[in-house]
Amino acid sequence: MPIPATPAETGAVSPSVATLSDARYHEAVQAALLRIERTVDRWLEDDVIDIDGARTGNMLTLSLPDRSQLIVNAQPPLQELWLAARRGGFHFKMDAAGAWRDSRSGQEFFALLSECASEQSRVALRF
């Protein structure tokens, strides 16, 4: 699997990273995980897709119908949010505008999570 280019290599502008208090970081992580859980619950209620979500502390595992998984995990010492998908592993830091951004590509967390979930489920999904 090729290693994604860094923003500097692609000429992309890397967003500035926010300096967060521990309390603000934990609040942002909880908000992200809750958004994912609520979206999955809505999909189940609307019979869009059967995804099983299992949360243990600050780790959320989404099991898709083909038995593949997406794992979202908080990394408090680094103030990061991590995503593990078939496509690879991604590390996100909060930018000054309050969005989680991939540390390599600058892509927004929910956009990349949506892409990975759609690829793995073969259903167009948007968080």
Side-chain angles (χ1 to χ4, degrees):
M1 172 183 332
I3 298 173
T6 64
E9 293 169 336
T10 63
V13 176
S14 181
S16 61
V17 174
T19 302
L20 305 174
S21 68
D22 287 343
R24 175 65 184 113
Y25 166 77
H26 289 292
E27 180 182 295
V29 165
Q30 294 309 311
L33 295 175
L34 186 60
R35 176 175 167 180
I36 296 166
E37 290 174 315
R38 287 183 175 163
T39 301
V40 168
D41 287 346
R42 191 176 65 248
W43 290 338
L44 289 170
E45 288 173 10
D46 295 344
D47 202 26
V48 173
I49 189 168
D50 185 18
I51 295 179
D52 180 41
R55 185 166 171 185
T56 305
N58 287 327
M59 184 174 78
L60 177 61
T61 302
L62 302 177
S63 299
L64 300 161
D66 69 353
R67 297 168 53 145
S68 69
Q69 294 182 329
L70 296 163
I71 300 171
V72 178
N73 193 20
Q75 293 297 316
L78 302 173
Q79 289 199 339
E80 291 183 346
L81 190 61
W82 289 4
L83 169 63
R86 232 184 234 155
R87 189 190 282 193
F90 305 91
H91 300 194
F92 299 83
K93 285 203 167 275
M94 184 163 283
D95 69 14
W100 292 102
R101 297 276 173 192
D102 180 57
S103 60
R104 290 188 181 191
S105 70
Q107 187 170 10
E108 194 272 333
F109 171 75
F110 288 104
L112 184 56
L113 177 61
S114 297
E115 287 178 16
C116 291
S118 297
E119 286 171 9
Q120 288 180 222
S121 68
R122 296 186 186 99
V123 174
L125 300 172
R126 185 171 181 172
F127 285 91

